């Protein structure tokens, strides 16, 4: 579906851009954790490709694109090499990386939803896999780095924008309204929500009427 809306070259470039910035985020976390070069490469690969790999295995798209498309595998390694040698400079443009990451979030939740629907899943399941495509790599990254996954403690609303974007695509499909304009609308909506959440420190609500004396972990 998505490949019918955009020329293959543009779609491929967008995928690589999303993979690259996700890989930068994973590699930077590895540097902050004092991982060695192998750990940096692993976190870059897992962050960039984990969500798409999970989606492809769930829908039976084998071999997964992460292994059948060489550029998808090489791009995270290039990002890891960049961070390994230039991590102080990369960290200085962390805000720009966060903006690109937000764009990748929008693209991946949309592409994940449409690909799952193409393989015969229902709209709800397709939207769920769209969210998994967008945030799955980050969850694996956090687990490997011994961090509480951001999906479970959604500070600055990372998963919520992906849920909104994937749900929009599912609704557009159900009403036969999916086209380049509505697809772009879902991507932009996800992107803007994520940017606003970072700017204003929005977050998902805690448990209703929580009265525990235990302080929230930092």
């Amino acid at each position: 579906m998505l490949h019918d809306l955009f020329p293959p070259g543009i779609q491929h470039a967008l995928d690589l851009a999303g993979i690259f910035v996700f890989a930068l985020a994973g590699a930077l976390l590895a540097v902050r954790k004092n991982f060695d070069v192998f750990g940096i490469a692993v976190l870059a690969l897992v962050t960039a490709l984990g969500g798409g790999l999970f989606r492809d295995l769930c829908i039976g798209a084998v071999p997964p694109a992460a292994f059948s498309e060489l550029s998808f595998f090489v791009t995270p390694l290039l990002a890891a090499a960049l961070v390994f040698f230039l991590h102080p400079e990369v960290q200085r443009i962390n805000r720009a990386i966060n903006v690109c990451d937000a764009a990748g979030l929008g693209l991946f939740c949309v592409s994940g939803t449409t690909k799952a629907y193409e393989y015969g899943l229902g709209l709800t399941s397709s939207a769920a896999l769209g969210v998994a495509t967008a945030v799955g790599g980050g969850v694996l990254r956090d687990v490997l780095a011994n961090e509480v996954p951001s999906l479970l403690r959604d500070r600055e609303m990372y998963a919520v924008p992906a849920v909104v974007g994937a749900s929009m695509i599912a609704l557009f499909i159900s009403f036969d309204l999916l086209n380049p304009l509505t697809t772009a609308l879902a991507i932009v909506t996800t992107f803007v929500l994520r940017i606003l959440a970072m700017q204003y420190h929005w977050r998902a609500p805690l448990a209703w009427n929580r009265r525990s004396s235990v302080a929230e972990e930092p």
Side-chain angles (χ1 to χ4, degrees):
M1 243 177 223
L2 196 59
H3 59 267
D4 293 331
L5 299 174
F6 298 103
I10 292 178
Q11 177 59 36
H12 187 68
L14 291 173
D15 285 341
L16 289 180
I19 287 171
F20 185 76
V21 294
F22 279 177
L24 286 178
L28 283 171
L29 177 60
V31 170
R32 289 195 291 269
K33 290 283 187 175
N34 290 320
F35 288 1
D36 61 18
V37 62
F38 185 75
I40 293 171
V42 167
L43 279 199
L45 284 164
V46 165
T47 307
L49 304 177
L53 180 63
F54 175 77
R55 175 205 60 208
D56 288 349
L57 291 176
C58 284
I59 64 179
V62 291
F67 298 122
S68 61
E69 179 61 56
L70 181 62
S71 60
F72 285 0
F73 194 80
V74 171
T75 298
L77 295 179
L78 293 176
L82 180 66
V83 169
F84 180 79
F85 289 106
L86 301 174
H87 60 87
E89 286 72 19
V90 173
Q91 286 177 316
R92 290 193 191 102
I93 59 170
N94 194 52
R95 182 170 179 81
I97 292 173
N98 285 337
V99 171
C100 295
D101 181 80
L105 186 76
L107 174 68
F108 282 7
C109 74
V110 167
S111 63
T113 302
T114 54
K115 185 170 183 178
Y117 186 75
E118 285 176 341
Y119 275 76
L121 270 66
L123 291 175
T124 301
S125 298
S126 296
L129 273 187
V131 174
T133 303
V135 305
V139 172
L140 293 174
R141 173 201 65 205
D142 292 342
V143 169
L144 289 175
N146 198 28
E147 297 271 318
V148 176
S150 57
L151 183 66
L152 302 182
R153 191 173 59 186
D154 198 7
R155 292 189 169 177
E156 298 182 348
M157 292 205 315
Y158 194 79
V160 171
V163 171
V164 171
S167 299
M168 289 176 66
I169 291 297
L171 286 173
F172 290 146
I173 292 173
S174 66
F175 290 104
D176 198 25
L177 294 174
L178 192 66
N179 56 53
L181 181 61
T182 56
T183 300
L185 177 62
I187 294 173
V188 170
T189 299
T190 304
F191 172 78
V192 170
L193 281 175
R194 173 62 178 151
I195 293 296
L196 290 175
M198 288 190 293
Q199 179 67 31
Y200 296 106
H201 305 290
W202 295 345
R203 61 167 299 164
L206 298 175
W208 175 256
N209 203 25
R210 180 176 179 268
R211 298 183 182 276
S212 173
S213 60
V214 179
E216 181 189 3
E217 292 183 12

